[in-house]
């Protein structure tokens, strides 16, 4: 079954709330991880057996080579700062709850999460899977694990799924039993 989640009439956060159950394994390959996205799914993520996250670009690693002048160099600092919220999550940062959310998220990461970074230099597509004993659900494409990608905040993502439709902040849910 294929289900279109457009974050307008169907919200990814709501679908994940129904899909993620106790003992499931959640795997994500994406460019961004935000503690505010964790906050949105805190109840479900506390009950997962394992949470695996791969940054699709080298992030939170030591650079082995000296920096060279590049015409299109994008400092990884921007990706790493997204942990504390992307440009679209400014409203959440202004709620003065960042410290408590950061503590809760850090505690959860120590107990449940594993983070890795794609250091191969090869392109990696972004996706999310939820694996349970009865089913495996795949969400794709996603940009990151942020409140914008979950459909909680308005962002600027537009994806073209076929020649006839443009759907804002689109995620496809693919179910395989």
């Amino acid at each position: 079954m294929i289900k279109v989640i457009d974050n307008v009439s169907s919200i990814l956060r709501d679908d994940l709330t129904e899909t993620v159950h106790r003992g499931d394994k959640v795997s994500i390959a994406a460019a961004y991880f935000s503690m505010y996205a964790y906050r949105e799914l805190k109840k479900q993520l506390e009950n997962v057996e394992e949470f695996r996250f791969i940054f699709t670009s080298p992030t939170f690693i030591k650079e082995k080579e000296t920096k060279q002048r590049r015409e299109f160099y994008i400092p990884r600092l921007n990706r790493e700062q997204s942990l504390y919220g992307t440009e679209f999550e400014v409203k959440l940062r202004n709620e003065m709850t960042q410290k408590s959310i950061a503590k809760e998220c850090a505690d959860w990461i120590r107990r449940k999460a594993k983070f890795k970074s794609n250091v191969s230099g090869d392109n990696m597509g972004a996706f999310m899977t939820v694996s349970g004993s009865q089913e495996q659900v795949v969400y794709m494409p996603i940009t990151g694990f942020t409140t914008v990608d979950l459909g909680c905040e308005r962002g600027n993502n537009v994806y073209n799924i076929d020649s006839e439709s443009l759907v804002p902040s689109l995620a496809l849910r693919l179910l395989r039993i």
Side-chain angles (χ1 to χ4, degrees):
M1 171 174 99
I2 296 178
K3 178 180 177 183
V4 176
I5 299 172
D6 62 5
N7 283 341
V8 175
S9 60
S10 178
I11 307 295
L12 180 57
R13 177 199 55 208
D14 298 341
D15 197 76
L16 287 168
T17 301
E18 295 174 13
T19 304
V20 178
H21 302 292
R22 180 176 297 281
D24 287 353
K25 293 180 180 181
V26 177
S27 301
I28 301 175
Y32 305 102
F33 175 89
S34 168
M35 66 184 181
Y36 297 109
Y38 157 78
R39 183 182 77 169
E40 290 294 329
L41 294 171
K42 178 182 171 183
K43 182 179 175 183
Q44 289 73 30
L45 293 176
E46 283 293 334
N47 292 320
V48 298
E49 180 181 323
E50 183 179 28
F51 180 89
R52 299 178 296 186
F53 191 96
I54 297 175
F55 288 99
T56 53
S57 298
T59 307
F60 294 109
I61 61 168
K62 292 182 181 179
E63 289 190 78
K64 296 177 184 174
E65 298 177 19
T66 59
K67 290 184 183 178
Q68 299 173 3
R69 184 179 167 107
R70 299 179 199 166
E71 188 174 341
F72 298 104
Y73 179 71
I74 300 172
R76 66 170 203 251
L77 182 61
N78 292 341
R79 292 188 302 273
E80 293 173 0
Q81 287 176 337
S82 69
L83 177 65
Y84 304 108
T86 64
E87 63 182 295
F88 297 104
E89 295 170 318
V90 171
K91 182 186 91 167
L92 296 171
R93 284 186 272 173
N94 290 337
E95 290 179 358
M96 305 300 282
T97 57
Q98 184 176 23
K99 187 174 182 179
S100 64
I101 295 167
K103 284 183 178 181
E104 289 176 358
C105 186
D107 177 56
W108 170 79
I109 287 171
R110 284 185 207 97
R111 292 182 289 111
K112 302 276 185 169
K114 294 178 182 172
F115 286 84
K116 293 189 176 184
S117 190
N118 175 15
V119 295
S120 69
D122 297 331
N123 289 334
M124 177 182 273
F127 64 91
M128 176 188 302
T129 65
V130 178
S131 302
S133 60
Q134 299 293 319
E135 67 181 3
Q136 180 176 13
V137 179
V138 178
Y139 297 91
M140 59 185 296
I142 61 169
T143 305
F145 186 67
T146 67
T147 56
V148 171
D149 294 289
L150 293 179
C152 308
E153 300 286 325
R154 175 85 173 120
N156 63 353
N157 295 336
V158 176
Y159 297 104
N160 187 1
I161 62 169
D162 59 41
S163 60
E164 300 176 41
S165 67
L166 285 173
V167 181
S169 274
L170 169 73
L172 293 177
R173 179 181 184 211
L174 306 170
L175 174 63
R176 182 177 56 143
I177 299 176

